[in-house]
Amino acid sequence: MKIKSVQAFAIKNDIVGGPPTTRPRQPAWLADAEVAGPMSRYPRFKKLRSTWRPEWPSVGCVVIADDGSFGFGATRYGTPVISIVNEHIWPLLVGEPAMATERLFDMMSRIVSPYGPGGLGAYAISAVDLALWDLKGKTLKTPVYELIGGPAHDRIKVYATGNDTDWHMELGFKGTKLACPYGPADGLDALNWNEDLVGEARELIGRDVELMLDCWMALDVEFTVRLAERLRPYALKWIEDCLLPENLDGQNELRRRLPWMTLATGEHWYSPFTFATAAAQKNTDIFQPDIAWVGGLTACLKINALAEAAGIPVIPHAGMNTPYGQHFGYAMPNAPWGEYFLGSPPGVPLDEMAVFPGVASPKDGTLTPSDAPGFGIELTLDGIEKLKV
Ligand SMILES: [Mg+2]
């Protein structure tokens, strides 16, 4: 079976599904919440990430084989990623064996190497790789999680990310992760205000629910150390994504200055190489690759293998928001938890927000993926056509 075509195209937003039929009882926290980020030092871009992030649409990708079967992948960062797939990768993969996911991942990694396997190129590879795995599962009439060795869990344990903490508790999650609102740009106030937020959350959830803090590339080493020390009484399970992703020396310094703090990161690392370096330098306790950004399932399997051998668990970024992360998490004993990014408004049932038809949603803080072939996405080629924008 050979590859006949590979096509990427713009689709609507890939994180939040909907529109829901149930009326929200209040707006989602994301609507106007400040979240610290790498641009927070510039006042006109400080409050909302939407003021500086690109308005590129999400990306769908269909691989069609010469027998007419197809697979569907999805990623982010529309216009440039669509160009990389359609104008560079697609022509070079036509006629290649469609089931050869290792060979095709290796080819794609080398194809994009002149301009960047460590950024937008990794998003393009992810879209094609995920479509290839979906195609493989459908061809073999098997869910992808069985192709990669699963199931490893009865149900995946899921935690929720977002600042509607009371809604997370109502939904039955046993872990909740806050988005850190303030960073070095706010000076000493940031330590006080962040402590208020974390303290209130701990008070609300009690001692039997895990609490984490996501810092989305916003901090520096000195601020992270002071923040972690300030928050020590609140028993955070981990602190996440504190530095700019390229700053591996800084990550080493964090490890040295915070030996007691569990450090998680990796959602902005691309390709397995950075994870191999981090594992060798022992600077990170939990790896968080995003399966739809890092290079797809093939990249995640390589990262998981090297992480497991180094004693590092893998909890993919927003893994429970996509069928791809769900199948990975279900299959891997080294993935103890799944992350569900909860950006939808309180009161709306999560299954109304599923990103594609057939994709499972968390219930009572757990999730089991669909056992339909491939990634279980219930979309025909006509249905995919309707997602295009
Ligand atoms: Mg994160």
Side-chain angles (χ1 to χ4, degrees):
M1 192 169 66
K2 307 279 193 211
I3 293 176
K4 184 175 157 197
S5 73
V6 181
Q7 197 203 359
F9 42 84
I11 59 172
K12 66 182 179 135
N13 188 299
D14 67 346
I15 288 291
V16 180
T21 51
T22 303
R23 270 174 70 94
R25 62 174 181 241
Q26 67 192 66
W29 67 283
L30 263 184
D32 66 349
E34 179 157 354
V35 176
M39 287 290 282
S40 295
R41 62 172 60 177
Y42 299 102
R44 70 192 173 101
F45 301 116
K46 182 174 181 300
K47 182 163 163 59
L48 293 178
R49 293 185 279 189
S50 57
T51 55
W52 61 272
R53 298 186 78 184
E55 292 185 353
W56 294 326
S58 293
V59 178
C61 180
V62 170
V63 174
I64 299 180
D66 56 6
D67 68 351
S69 54
F70 77 96
F72 177 71
T75 187
R76 272 192 170 182
Y77 296 129
T79 316
V81 169
I82 291 168
S83 287
I84 293 170
V85 173
N86 291 351
E87 294 166 27
H88 194 190
I89 292 176
W90 172 3
L92 300 177
L93 295 192
V94 171
E96 289 292 324
M99 303 286 267
T101 41
E102 284 289 336
R103 170 188 170 98
L104 294 164
F105 177 83
D106 185 61
M107 284 182 70
M108 290 192 284
S109 300
R110 291 164 189 277
I111 286 168
V112 304
S113 59
Y115 52 82
L120 291 169
Y123 289 79
I125 293 170
S126 302
V128 179
D129 181 80
L130 295 170
L132 287 165
W133 277 99
D134 190 40
L135 170 64
K136 186 186 290 206
K138 285 177 179 159
T139 299
L140 299 174
K141 299 185 171 45
T142 306
V144 171
Y145 64 73
E146 289 199 342
L147 295 179
I148 58 176
H153 310 280
D154 294 335
R155 299 179 65 77
I156 306 168
K157 274 172 59 185
V158 184
Y159 75 87
T161 293
N163 293 7
D164 287 322
T165 311
D166 50 351
W167 176 229
H168 299 179
M169 296 304 97
E170 193 178 325
L171 289 166
F173 288 102
K174 295 292 181 222
T176 179
K177 189 168 76 192
L178 293 163
C180 183
Y182 306 108
D186 300 285
L188 192 53
D189 285 338
L191 294 174
N192 300 328
W193 296 339
N194 287 337
E195 183 180 4
D196 289 346
L197 178 77
V198 170
E200 283 164 21
R202 176 55 82 193
E203 177 83 23
L204 180 75
I205 67 179
R207 295 188 305 175
D208 300 328
V209 174
E210 294 284 13
L211 182 63
M212 292 76 75
L213 185 69
D214 187 346
C215 304
W216 205 60
M217 308 175 278
L219 313 185
D220 54 35
V221 172
E222 191 254 351
F223 187 93
T224 306
V225 171
R226 293 184 79 188
L227 182 63
E229 286 170 348
R230 180 71 79 88
L231 298 180
R232 196 163 185 177
Y234 305 98
L236 293 177
K237 183 167 172 64
W238 72 68
I239 190 167
E240 169 177 330
D241 204 11
C242 300
L243 308 176
L244 287 172
E246 303 79 20
N247 189 3
L248 289 183
D249 282 346
Q251 190 73 9
N252 288 334
E253 187 63 5
L254 273 190
R255 170 77 303 151
R256 194 180 68 76
R257 292 183 63 179
L258 291 172
W260 51 270
M261 182 84 238
T262 300
L263 301 175
T265 198
E267 70 185 76
H268 301 104
W269 287 348
Y270 304 103
S271 88
F273 291 108
T274 313
F275 292 89
T277 302
Q281 296 182 349
K282 301 191 186 309
N283 61 21
T284 302
D285 300 294
I286 296 168
F287 283 166
Q288 302 172 305
D290 188 304
I291 194 168
W293 306 352
V294 75
L297 178 58
T298 305
C300 267
L301 293 175
K302 293 176 190 299
I303 290 161
N304 185 65
L306 70 88
E308 189 166 24
I312 300 168
V314 175
I315 304 177
H317 170 251
M320 296 301 110
N321 292 79
T322 72
Y324 314 116
Q326 291 177 6
H327 279 247
F328 172 87
Y330 196 44
M332 294 300 143
N334 193 45
W337 248 8
E339 176 184 18
Y340 184 81
F341 179 82
L342 218 168
S344 54
V348 176
L350 299 186
D351 51 14
E352 291 184 25
M353 305 307 295
V355 60
F356 302 123
V359 175
S361 301
K363 289 197 177 38
D364 298 324
T366 66
L367 183 149
T368 305
S370 161
D371 62 0
F375 287 110
I377 303 165
E378 293 171 1
L379 281 172
T380 61
L381 284 174
D382 283 344
I384 291 168
E385 204 57 38
K386 293 188 183 118
L387 295 179
K388 293 183 179 177
V389 291

